[in-house]
């Protein structure tokens, strides 16, 4: 056991338990989703290779505690045919969290679950200066807490007031939870303060005419969020992204920016507070211009 | 002639349930006046629109809003009336990404 490189094991999702020679094995799940067959396989693995205990993690994952070093390879080989690998820990892109999204949830704006699969395929386990957590919320209700992640994605509906058919009833003003919508004068034109808007779309669903409509349906990206010892809420960057390709490109660029400017063991939010959030936007803008 | 329904003292989901029941008793093109507080406003308007009815007018009052809802529902021949707005689910089918 002394020959084992514990740090290397940890990077591969295997953590030594305090005061024992047993290990906690983190599994690689995406958005907390698994089939019933996979769930049975995990249960069987915990009984056979661990002590029968399982742990549901704070990021929609599953861990199997009490695994001996001799059982690690067997556990890996047992789970592999079921499409379940070991997770990661250490300075890497962690398991992607996501809500059910628009295929299941009546509030969903984007298909968070399938987006999570794509993000996972592209970035899971990639190296970074520190841990890098990605979370996806399907709408403004934000069940998966986009701002708590190093990079969070949130479904977003950007409203546009055309004025056509508007009776000046003021329902949009009354329902806006952040007072981003207001009428100029009594029943006059409606203005939307985009920096306040949270993209919930309430002004659109409450409009009796169609004068308040969807300008863009997509996602916004929040960067630099973390909890831990010193919590910090992720800040929105860029406008509303319409396509999945744009989201994946922004994540790739954010990771590159982090690798370029982040110090070892420094969270993304600390890097961004040091460089300024606009430095990331400038970096992505420069890349976009290079490609164009 | 329109009827008046006061739901200012109700909480969700009774607000939308009461509006739905009141509308079901009306004939197409008849109107219902609804006194609604700010808290239930969004859900009531969204439900009325999703059920295919029309908000003919909305006026701010001391208690919140006075809505005039026009029943658009099913006609005598069983065909659904037009003007139904798409639901969140329908919209999400074509949602990007």
């Amino acid at each position: 056991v002394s020959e084992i490189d514990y740090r290397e094991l940890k990077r591969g999702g295997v953590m030594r338990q305090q005061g024992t020679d047993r290990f906690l094995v983190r599994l690689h799940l995406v958005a907390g989703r698994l089939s019933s067959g996979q769930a049975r396989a995990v249960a069987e693995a915990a009984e056979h290779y661990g002590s029968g205990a399982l742990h549901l993690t704070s990021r929609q994952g599953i861990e199997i505690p009490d695994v001996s070093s001799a059982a690690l390879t067997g556990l890996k080989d047992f789970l592999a045919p079921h499409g379940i690998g070991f997770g990661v820990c250490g300075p890497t892109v962690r398991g992607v969290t996501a809500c059910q999204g628009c295929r299941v949830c009546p509030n969903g704006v984007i298909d968070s679950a399938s987006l999570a699969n794509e993000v996972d395929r592209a970035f899971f386990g990639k190296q970074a200066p520190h841990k890098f957590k990605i979370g996806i919320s399907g709408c403004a209700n934000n069940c998966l807490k986009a701002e708590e992640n190093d990079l969070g994605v949130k479904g977003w509906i950007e409203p546009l007031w055309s004025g056509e058919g508007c009776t000046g009833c003021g329902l949009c003003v009354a329902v806006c939870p952040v007072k981003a919508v207001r009428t100029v004068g009594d029943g006059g034109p409606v203005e939307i303060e985009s920096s306040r808007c949270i993209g919930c779309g309430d002004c659109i669903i409450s409009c009796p005419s169609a004068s308040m409509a969807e300008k863009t349906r997509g996602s916004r990206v929040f960067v630099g969020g973390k909890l831990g010892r010193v919590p910090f809420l992720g800040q929105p960057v860029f406008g509303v992204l319409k396509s999945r390709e744009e989201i994946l490109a922004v994540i790739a660029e954010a990771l590159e920016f982090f690798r370029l400017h982040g110090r070892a063991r420094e969270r993304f939010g600390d890097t961004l507070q040091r460089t300024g959030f606009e430095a990331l936007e400038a970096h992505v803008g420069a890349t976009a211009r290079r490609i164009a | 002639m329109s009827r008046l329904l006061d739901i200012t003292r109700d909480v969700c989901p009774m607000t939308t349930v009461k509006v739905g029941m009141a509308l079901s008793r009306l004939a197409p093109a008849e109107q219902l006046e609804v006194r609604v507080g700010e808290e239930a406003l969004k859900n009531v308007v969204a439900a009325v629109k999703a059920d295919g009815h029309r908000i003919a007018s909305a006026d701010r009052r001391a208690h919140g809003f006075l809505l005039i809802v026009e029943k658009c529902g099913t006609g005598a021949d069983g065909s659904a009336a037009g003007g139904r707005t798409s639901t969140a689910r329908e919209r999400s089918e074509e949602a990007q990404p």
Side-chain angles (χ1 to χ4, degrees):
Chain A
V1 181
S2 59
E3 297 297 314
I4 295 172
D5 183 340
Y6 289 118
R7 191 183 296 182
E8 207 44 51
L9 274 175
K10 189 180 168 191
R11 209 181 275 267
V14 178
M15 280 77 76
R16 192 186 185 190
Q17 289 173 216
Q18 230 182 93
T20 73
D21 55 356
R22 299 279 153 157
F23 293 85
L24 173 73
V25 177
R26 181 175 295 168
L27 304 181
H28 175 205
L29 296 183
V30 184
R33 293 158 78 89
L34 67 171
S35 69
S36 54
Q38 288 175 318
R40 271 191 287 272
V42 170
E44 204 179 313
E47 283 168 12
H48 195 264
Y49 298 95
S51 59
L54 289 171
H55 172 237
L56 299 181
T57 74
S58 59
R59 289 184 57 82
Q60 303 182 312
I62 297 180
E63 292 168 341
I64 301 177
D66 308 322
V67 181
S68 72
S69 59
L72 287 170
T73 313
L75 173 61
K76 197 167 217 166
D77 293 344
F78 176 82
L79 287 172
H82 297 280
I84 300 174
F86 282 10
V88 291
C89 196
T92 52
V93 176
R94 304 295 182 79
V96 179
T97 59
C99 65
Q100 296 276 48
C102 66
R103 286 183 188 277
V104 175
C105 178
N107 297 315
V109 172
I110 58 170
D111 187 354
S112 353
S114 80
L115 175 61
N117 280 328
E118 274 193 50
V119 172
D120 176 86
R121 264 198 300 278
F123 303 107
F124 175 75
K126 291 254 192 301
Q127 302 289 304
H130 203 335
K131 63 176 79 167
F132 196 87
K133 298 178 179 178
I134 302 174
I136 303 167
S137 273
C139 75
N141 291 350
N142 204 14
C143 298
L144 264 287
K145 310 169 183 80
E147 290 91 331
E148 282 184 9
N149 289 269
D150 294 279
L151 191 146
V153 177
K154 198 192 287 184
W156 199 278
I157 299 169
E158 188 177 17
L160 178 72
W161 182 77
S162 68
E164 208 173 313
C166 179
T167 61
C169 71
L171 280 180
C172 53
V173 178
V175 299
C176 178
V178 291
K179 305 208 181 313
V181 185
R182 61 167 179 263
T183 47
V184 184
D186 189 29
V190 174
E191 275 185 1
I192 303 162
E193 203 178 328
S194 61
S195 62
R196 272 176 182 257
C197 178
I198 57 167
C200 66
D202 281 4
C203 54
I204 299 164
I205 55 171
S206 63
C207 180
S209 63
S211 53
M212 190 70 86
E214 284 183 16
K215 181 187 179 192
T216 316
R217 177 172 275 256
S219 313
R220 289 206 69 182
V221 169
F222 294 76
V223 290
K226 65 198 182 89
L227 250 58
R229 294 184 178 189
V230 187
F232 183 79
L233 285 183
Q235 306 293 305
V237 282
F238 312 110
V240 183
L241 307 178
K242 288 184 215 166
S243 72
R244 203 162 267 202
E245 290 67 35
E246 283 177 292
I247 299 169
L248 293 170
V250 163
I251 298 174
E253 291 297 330
L255 270 170
E256 190 193 282
F257 181 90
F258 191 24
R259 288 189 198 107
L260 281 172
H261 300 282
R263 296 170 181 157
R265 310 270 317 144
E266 178 183 60
R267 285 294 286 274
F268 193 34
D270 295 318
T271 306
L272 288 167
Q273 287 176 75
R274 207 161 39 71
T275 63
F277 285 72
E278 61 284 355
L280 172 66
E281 292 186 298
H283 170 84
V284 175
T287 307
R289 277 193 298 280
R290 243 187 355 256
I291 294 166
Chain B
M1 205 193 92
S2 64
R3 294 174 214 197
L4 177 68
L5 176 68
D6 188 338
I7 52 167
T8 50
R9 286 169 179 273
D10 293 299
V11 292
C12 288
M14 284 316 290
T15 48
T16 51
V17 169
K18 283 188 176 180
V19 173
M21 283 170 65
L23 284 168
S24 72
R25 294 190 202 101
L26 298 186
E30 276 193 308
Q31 292 187 333
L32 176 72
E33 285 185 40
V34 184
R35 285 163 56 94
V36 55
E38 295 234 346
E39 206 180 315
L41 197 55
K42 182 194 86 182
N43 286 342
V44 167
V45 173
V48 163
K49 284 172 68 181
D51 286 342
H53 308 297
R54 196 170 74 85
I55 307 285
S57 74
D59 285 295
R60 196 175 264 289
R61 294 283 193 273
H63 62 264
F65 271 81
L66 179 71
L67 306 176
I68 296 181
V69 181
E70 186 181 300
K71 170 146 175 171
C72 294
T74 314
D77 60 350
S79 66
R84 188 174 181 276
T85 50
S86 64
T87 62
R89 181 176 293 269
E90 284 163 0
R91 277 185 275 112
S92 64
E93 304 276 286
E94 57 211 53
Q96 275 278 355

